[in-house]
Every structure is written in C-alpha cells, then in structure tokens.
Amino acid sequence: MLKTITLTLDVEKGGDRFATLDERIELRQGDALAYALEVSLREKSEVIDLTGKAVRFYCQLPDGAVAIDGGHVSVPSPQDGVIRYEIPPEITQTAGNIDMAYFRITDEDPGSHWSASTPNIPLSIRRGIAIKLRDGDYFPEFDAALADLEASRVAYEQAEDARQTAEAARATAEEARAAAELLRLTAEEGRGAAEAERLAAELVRDAAELDRLAAEEERGAAEEDRALAELARAEAEAYRRAKFAEIEELADGLLYYFCADGEYDPDTRHPIIAEPHAGTHYLTPASHPTANNHWDEWLWDAAGQRWEGYGSQDVVIDPMTVEQAQGIFDGDQAEGTEGEIVTRRILRWVLGKLDGLYAKLAHTHSGADLTDGTVTAAKLASGAVTQAKIADGSVSLAKCDTALRDSVSQIYKGQRIYANTNLNSLVSPGMYRCMLYADAASLSNTPVKWPFNLLVLDPIGGSGYCTQILAHNGGSGLVGLYIRAEYGGTWSEWKQL
C-alpha cells in the first residue's frame, strides 16, 4: 500500500510565505516506493501554474551522496500547481537525517532562464534490522532467493555469450558498413565533381541565355523601328499615290461640276459629294450672289481628305462711288446693289461734306451775325420753341446759339464708345468715338487697341446691311483706316485701307 503525504510548499523564502514545514517526515531504511509526497506549490497565496514546467527532487543523503530525481516526479494537475513524488529505494537505503531536500521548478523552454525552488523538506530515515545468516539457520525464502540468483547468474553468462557473439557479428557488419560508406563517399565525391561540372555548364548556359535575351531585345527594338519606318513609308507612299492621282486627274484638264440642291451644305456652302473627283471644280450657289459672283468655288484635297475653297467666297469688294454717296445724302437709297464698300476716297468726301454742312466745335458766331437782331420761330426747328417762350424772354439769343453749337459739336464728335462694348452692336448710322486707351483695350471685334473714331453707314436702314469705317491716330506714326461690312447679320473681316 502506497502512503501519500500531503504538503503545501511556498517558493517564497521570506517571512510572509504562505506555508512552512517544521516537522520531519519519518521514513524507514529500505522502504521502496512505500511513500509519496503530494505537494501543492504556491507563491505566497497564488497557485503556481506548472503548464510547460519541469519539476525535480534534490537532496543530500545521510552518507553525503547527492540525489537529483525527476523520473519519479509527476504533475497530475498543472493548473492547480500539484506535483506527486513517489520516494524510490535509493533515497531510503542509508539511515540518518536528510536536512537538505527540496523541489526545483524550471521552464521547459530552452530560451527561458526562469527557476524557483521550495523550502527544505526535512526527512528522517530510521534504521532497519540488518540480517546476517549462519550455518544451520532456517530461512527458506533466502534459500529460494539464492537459487534464483544462481539461475540468474547462469542466464547472465548465457546472455553474455550471446552478446559477445552478437558483438562479433556487429563488428563484422560494421566493417562491411565502413567499406560500403567508403564506397558511398567515393561515389559522392564523384557525384560532387559531376554536380560542379553541371553547375559550371549551367552558368555558361545562363550567360548564353542572357546574351540571347539581349540580342532578342535588340532585335525587337530593331523590328519596332522597322515597323515604324514601314508605317511612315506606307503613309508617304499613300500620300505620293494620292498626289500622283491628283496630278494625273489635273493633267486631264479642268472639269466643272455645278452642285444642285442637296449636294452642298446650305450653311457652309461646301459640297456634299460621296466620291469627289480631285481634278474637278465644284461650284455651289453663293449665299449673296452679285452680278459678277454667282458661285462659290471648291476643290477636293484628296491627300488631306477635305474641301478647299477658293475665289471670293461671297466677299465682294464693290467700292462705293461719289454719286452713290451723294444719293445717300440726297435721300436716294435705291441706286446700286446695296453691297458697296466705302473707300478712303469716299470717307474723305464724307468728311468734307460734313464740314460743309456743320460748323466745327471751335466755330462761333456773335449775336450781331443775326442781321435782323431777332430769333423767330421760322429760324428754329418747328415746335421746338413756341412764340410764348420767345415773347416772355425765357429763350434768349445766347441760349439758342449755345444749344445749336452743342448739338452740331456732338454730331461732329460722335457718341462715346464705353468699355467692354462689342462693335458688332454699333449698327445705327452715325459717328462714334472711343476716347480712352483703357476702354479701347476692353472692346471686342475691333482691329486696334487705342482710341479711334467710327463712322457707321446704313444704306438700307435697319435691314442687317451696314458699313463700319474706323479711323485712328495713335501717335508715333500709328495712323490707320479700316473698313468692314455686315451682310445679313454676318460681318466681314476688318480690312486696312
């Protein structure tokens, strides 16, 4: 029967440790596996978790020998910190006191240096009775033991003979193994040399593969250059063939084709032909035909795949005559084709005409120039000043003179053009002027960016056909005269005269 001794041991060495063991545990000399120590390990009041821990029993026997035993130590409950040590016969074979005995706990992780030990467990091995047999003593159990011992000796000798025989066979086998190992090493040496040669050949093959890849890359780049060059050559060849075909068609002579309705765009006037002929002149009706220009002329650019217009394209410069200008001043607007352009010659004539009709701002008259000394109703605009206003003296000769000169001056100088004005909006006949450089810089649809005078002529009267004449003197020789016209709401480009 195995007797269990239950203990609680604290690894704390100080005075506040959880439990102490002051009395010796007594054992009998020769007891073998008769006692077991079941120990609960604590650190102060806390249970030591023994998961992943190793526990060994250390002691110094009464004869001075040292015992370190982990084989008889088990850990039945690691989480509860419980270990069990079954005391082997080696611990109890010598009588006396064991003053130094304890358990040591270490971490099974080889990288950890943690370690802890319990306090001493004092043991006392009480002496047993020595047995010495004499001749004639009756001890049948001992006689049986001697017979068993003799049988064991014979069996041992037989086993030793078998061991020696087996050892000789082992030695022979070892010699054969050594010879085979020598052969293996020789073969391995040959295999190593062959592997070295294979690796060297592999390096040569890799170097050749790198050279092949580099050459392939160069070939690919050269092929790409060749493909690009071929594409450029093909495009140049196509362009050359198109131009050659165009030259051949042109060499056949000029052909004319008059486009009917549906064969031209009514807005842009360019032809709409499915398969145009490069050597043919295509004519579409002009948007504003004149006596000398009924058609817009077009050629097909085969290389550029587009229509190329040439000729007047509805812009016909038909200069106005003096007779036509005089007719406008006389109130006759029926003469001409209504598309005439005012030239510098006509502009000078108009300015001279204005000088003859109106006095300049610096021109004045005194009251004495009125020979009869009075201002009658007939001398004023009809209804502008009544007889009553003249009779009571509210309208004097000086006031009429000032008002008349101011009106003529404003007509001669023109209306002011302010900043951010679009000249396309100035279509009412009359004189206009831009006075400031800052205003001129902000205007749109103007040919200049400095102050100027503008004359607007409308031969029809509010029908979308007018002429603008712009004159400027920017100083330092920047003198210029520009003209443009509006046809049905579309303005021509400014042209410098």
Side-chain angles (χ1 to χ4, degrees):
M1 178 67 72
L2 187 65
K3 181 180 180 180
T4 301
I5 302 172
T6 303
L7 303 174
T8 299
L9 298 178
D10 193 342
V11 298
E12 175 65 33
K13 306 301 188 298
D16 57 347
R17 55 189 172 180
F18 179 73
T20 60
L21 181 61
D22 299 326
E23 296 182 358
R24 289 183 181 273
I25 297 174
E26 293 188 354
L27 305 175
R28 175 69 68 181
Q29 183 181 13
D31 290 344
L33 301 176
Y35 295 92
L37 300 181
E38 189 169 284
V39 182
S40 296
L41 297 179
R42 299 285 188 273
E43 183 175 3
K44 295 184 180 179
S45 61
E46 298 293 331
V47 174
I48 298 178
D49 189 354
L50 298 176
T51 304
K53 303 293 190 293
V55 182
R56 293 177 178 83
F57 179 72
Y58 288 70
C59 72
Q60 188 173 15
L61 300 174
D63 59 0
V66 174
I68 300 176
D69 185 12
H72 294 87
V73 178
S74 62
V75 183
S77 181
Q79 295 83 358
D80 298 328
V82 176
I83 63 174
R84 184 178 179 84
Y85 180 55
E86 296 180 358
I87 301 174
E90 290 78 7
I91 303 300
T92 62
Q93 67 182 357
T94 303
N97 291 331
I98 299 177
D99 297 323
M100 185 180 297
Y102 58 89
F103 290 97
R104 178 170 292 279
I105 307 101
T106 58
D107 201 323
E108 291 181 345
D109 182 4
S112 174
H113 301 288
W114 180 86
S115 176
S117 64
T118 67
N120 281 330
I121 305 171
L123 301 175
S124 179
I125 310 300
R126 290 186 174 275
R127 187 177 302 278
I129 299 176
I131 300 176
K132 184 176 181 181
L133 296 178
R134 297 172 298 179
D135 292 340
D137 289 341
Y138 174 70
F139 194 179
E141 293 179 357
F142 184 74
D143 292 338
L146 287 177
D148 291 340
L149 182 61
E150 178 63 19
S152 297
R153 184 191 65 77
V154 173
Y156 172 77
E157 289 180 353
Q158 293 175 350
E160 179 63 18
D161 291 340
R163 186 196 67 76
Q164 291 179 1
T165 302
E167 178 63 21
R170 186 200 65 77
T172 302
E174 178 63 20
E175 290 179 358
R177 187 203 63 77
E181 178 66 13
L182 181 60
L183 292 175
R184 188 195 68 77
L185 291 175
T186 302
E188 180 66 18
E189 184 176 355
R191 189 201 64 77
E195 179 66 12
E197 292 179 357
R198 187 195 67 77
L199 291 175
E202 183 70 14
L203 290 176
V204 173
R205 189 199 67 78
D206 289 344
E209 178 65 12
L210 290 176
D211 292 340
R212 187 195 67 77
L213 291 176
E216 179 65 19
E217 185 176 357
E218 292 180 358
R219 187 201 65 76
E223 176 63 19
E224 184 177 357
D225 293 341
R226 186 203 65 76
L228 292 176
E230 175 63 19
L231 180 61
R233 186 202 65 76
E235 291 178 352
E237 177 64 15
Y239 181 81
R240 184 193 68 79
R241 288 178 180 273
K243 296 301 292 183
F244 186 75
E246 184 177 351
I247 293 172
E248 283 186 330
E249 293 176 348
L250 292 175
D252 293 338
L254 297 179
L255 300 176
Y256 289 88
Y257 181 85
F258 292 85
C259 297
D261 291 342
E263 293 184 317
Y264 63 91
D265 189 308
D267 296 325
T268 63
R269 296 289 165 171
H270 68 70
I272 304 176
I273 305 298
E275 296 181 357
H277 188 268
T280 299
H281 293 253
Y282 292 87
L283 289 85
T284 61
S287 58
H288 303 291
T290 64
N292 298 323
N293 187 44
H294 290 277
W295 305 93
D296 290 342
E297 296 84 0
W298 303 86
L299 280 176
W300 175 249
D301 180 6
Q305 293 293 299
R306 64 187 183 88
W307 289 100
E308 181 70 28
Y310 68 96
S312 64
Q313 298 293 314
D314 286 344
V315 179
V316 178
I317 305 299
D318 188 8
M320 179 184 288
T321 64
V322 174
E323 290 74 14
Q324 292 171 331
Q326 182 63 53
I328 293 175
F329 274 93
D330 294 341
D332 181 10
Q333 300 181 1
E335 183 178 356
T337 61
E338 302 181 357
E340 296 83 1
I341 301 300
V342 177
T343 62
R344 185 183 300 182
R345 172 172 173 267
I346 295 301
L347 180 61
R348 286 196 297 267
W349 183 87
V350 170
L351 294 177
K353 193 73 173 177
L354 292 175
D355 287 340
L357 292 175
Y358 303 105
K360 295 183 179 180
L361 181 62
H363 182 77
T364 60
H365 285 277
S366 67
D369 290 336
L370 298 174
T371 56
D372 58 2
T374 62
V375 179
T376 64
K379 294 180 180 179
L380 298 174
S382 176
V385 180
T386 64
Q387 287 287 349
K389 291 180 180 179
I390 297 174
D392 62 10
S394 61
V395 178
S396 64
L397 181 60
K399 292 180 179 179
C400 290
D401 177 69
T402 299
L404 181 60
R405 287 196 295 111
D406 288 344
S407 299
V408 173
S409 174
Q410 289 299 322
I411 294 174
Y412 187 77
K413 292 190 296 182
Q415 302 177 51
R416 179 177 174 181
I417 301 175
Y418 292 94
N420 301 313
T421 299
N422 185 348
L423 293 194
N424 289 355
S425 65
L426 303 181
V427 294
S428 298
M431 294 291 294
Y432 299 85
R433 59 173 177 162
C434 177
M435 302 171 57
L436 302 176
Y437 280 91
D439 291 346
S442 67
L443 302 181
S444 56
N445 292 306
T446 174
V448 297
K449 294 299 181 181
W450 41 79
F452 58 85
N453 290 94
L454 180 70
L455 173 63
V456 178
L457 303 176
D458 185 359
I460 304 300
S463 61
Y465 297 89
C466 72
T467 301
Q468 288 183 346
I469 303 171
L470 186 148
H472 73 87
N473 181 2
S476 302
L478 297 176
V479 179
L481 186 65
Y482 297 82
I483 187 171
R484 68 169 181 165
E486 179 193 15
Y487 299 93
T490 302
W491 289 90
S492 66
E493 297 295 328
W494 285 99
K495 182 175 181 181
Q496 187 172 9
L497 301 177

